[in-house]
Amino acid sequence: MGEFRLPSLGADLKNGKLVEWLVEPGDYVSPGDSVAVVETDMTTLDVETQQEGQVTELLVDIGATVPVGTPMVRILGTEEETVQPDAASVPQSEAQDRVSSLRRAVGSLMSRSKKSIPHYYLSTTLDLRAALEWMQLVNKQRPVASRLVPSALLLKATALAAREVPEVNGFFTDGIFRPSSSVHLGVAVALRHGGLVAPAIHNADTLALDVLMQKLRDLVSRARAGRLQRAEMADPTLTVMNLGDLGVETVFGVIYPPQVAMVGLGRMMEQPWAHDGLLGVRPAVAATLSADHRVSDGLRGGRFLARIDEVLQKPEEL
């Protein structure tokens, strides 16, 4: 007989509050099945088992707050759909207490980040002429619901650049940098009641643009409904904060430890531009890199930003 223990919840979170069981004694579970809903200071997560067998006993009471590693379920070693409550029904006072906890958790994490990580910052301007012209041609052949948006192109270009410059993609733990072979792109999402979370789009560098867009929409929807998967919060290898929709021109972010970099994207603007003695106007976005000087330097960071721009000049290859 095995035990399912509360797994790592990401972002240095040490405890979780059991909100809901998604299984009961007698249920059969397989690896990847969600077994419980756990609330943290950052968000609410579905936690999954990696074991297979029959649930024999639930070991934690609903409402209890327990540390990571606590035994939750005994499993003796038929997928069932579970009905998930609508986060919109959460009372306003409770939502505000979520928000307060989130801000405290983020504040503590960012304070530690600034104290322990020697940040350096770089900024560049991404030329979007080729990308937007290509996107407009592609969208003419598509129904409105499936048309591409600029943010999808920017995310894919960032993921591809991160694959080529591994010093911005991975984790710094126990004094050692461990680059990631996969690009799990954390995307900052503004929550309805305030605050931000940054769950991951897994393997973003390998996804077709349409698939990436679908996953982005799904991620935003579930983040705002408070129903993220644990892995989506636990393993982003690089985070992107896009505040262009809010009118922000330039974003200088703070790295989420144990990650080693953050990319900031501002709003798309028409920018005067001189080329071969001629003055014109081009659509552009300010992109910034906040990076860990223990792992990379201005040379590698500059190469990463330059590679994003280079990739966007061949949008048909995204």
Side-chain angles (χ1 to χ4, degrees), residues 135-162:
M135 187 186 75
Q136 289 165 2
L137 288 174
V138 170
N139 283 343
K140 286 181 180 179
Q141 312 300 321
R142 295 173 174 234
V144 173
S146 62
R147 289 179 178 171
L148 298 172
V149 297
S151 60
L153 278 64
L154 290 167
L155 290 176
K156 182 63 181 293
T158 300
L160 290 173

Side-chain angles (χ1 to χ4, degrees), residues 19-314:
V19 175
E20 179 184 358
W21 284 115
L22 301 179
V23 295
E24 58 186 25
D27 287 350
Y28 192 86
V29 294
S30 299
D33 286 351
S34 296
V35 298
V37 181
V38 173
E39 183 181 89
T40 72
D41 288 337
M42 301 287 284
T43 188
T44 303
L45 307 170
D46 288 6
V47 292
E48 316 89 30
T49 181
Q50 297 304 314
Q51 297 167 275
E52 183 171 3
Q54 187 176 41
V55 174
T56 61
E57 186 179 1
L58 306 180
L59 303 176
V60 176
D61 294 331
I62 290 178
T65 298
V66 295
V68 168
T70 297
M72 302 280 286
V73 180
R74 285 201 175 96
I75 298 175
L76 185 61
T78 331
E79 298 179 355
E80 292 185 358
E81 293 185 354
T82 57
V83 178
Q84 300 180 349
D86 183 359
S89 64
V90 176
Q92 184 68 21
S93 60
E94 292 185 19
Q96 291 301 324
D97 292 340
R98 183 175 295 170
V99 175
S100 296
S101 295
L102 172 61
R103 293 196 186 283
R104 286 195 298 270
V106 171
S108 175
L109 187 65
M110 295 299 96
S111 295
R112 186 170 71 83
S113 174
K114 292 294 285 186
K115 291 177 181 177
S116 63
I117 299 177
H119 286 60
Y120 72 91
Y121 304 93
L122 301 175
S123 178
T124 193
T125 299
L126 302 178
D127 186 346
L128 298 184
R129 288 174 302 156
L132 294 186
E133 288 174 2
W134 175 82
M135 187 186 75
Q136 289 165 2
L137 288 174
V138 170
N139 283 343
K140 286 181 180 179
Q141 312 300 321
R142 295 173 174 234
V144 173
S146 62
R147 289 179 178 171
L148 298 172
V149 297
S151 60
L153 278 64
L154 290 167
L155 290 176
K156 182 63 181 293
T158 300
L160 290 173
R163 185 171 68 189
E164 297 183 23
V165 185
E167 291 90 344
V168 302
N169 185 61
F171 306 105
F172 191 92
T173 55
D174 299 324
I176 300 172
F177 172 59
R178 296 176 173 84
S180 174
S181 59
S182 302
V183 182
H184 300 325
L185 207 60
V187 181
V189 178
L191 303 179
R192 291 192 179 98
H193 298 293
L196 292 171
V197 293
I201 299 176
H202 291 139
N203 302 303
D205 57 317
T206 68
L207 300 178
L209 281 173
D210 289 305
V211 177
L212 191 151
M213 276 190 50
Q214 292 169 4
K215 289 186 175 292
L216 177 61
R217 288 169 178 157
D218 174 64
L219 200 69
V220 171
S221 175
R222 289 188 293 105
R224 290 174 176 167
R227 297 312 299 264
L228 292 168
Q229 299 291 324
R230 178 197 62 84
E232 292 167 340
M233 289 296 294
D235 62 3
T237 59
L238 170 68
T239 293
V240 177
M241 182 172 290
N242 186 344
L243 299 182
D245 290 345
L246 300 179
V248 176
E249 294 185 3
T250 308
V251 181
F252 292 96
V254 179
I255 300 168
Y256 281 86
Q259 297 171 45
V260 297
M262 172 178 278
V263 176
L265 298 172
R267 68 182 177 92
M268 189 171 64
M269 300 181 292
E270 288 192 336
Q271 181 185 74
W273 174 65
H275 181 68
D276 290 338
L278 299 176
L279 184 64
V281 176
R282 65 175 177 176
V285 162
T288 62
L289 173 68
S290 306
D292 188 334
H293 229 319
R294 297 171 299 182
V295 176
S296 64
D297 53 30
L299 179 64
R300 297 302 288 166
R303 177 59 186 146
F304 170 67
L305 289 178
R307 188 59 187 144
I308 296 175
D309 190 65
E310 292 167 2
V311 169
L312 289 169
Q313 306 318 308
K314 297 181 179 179

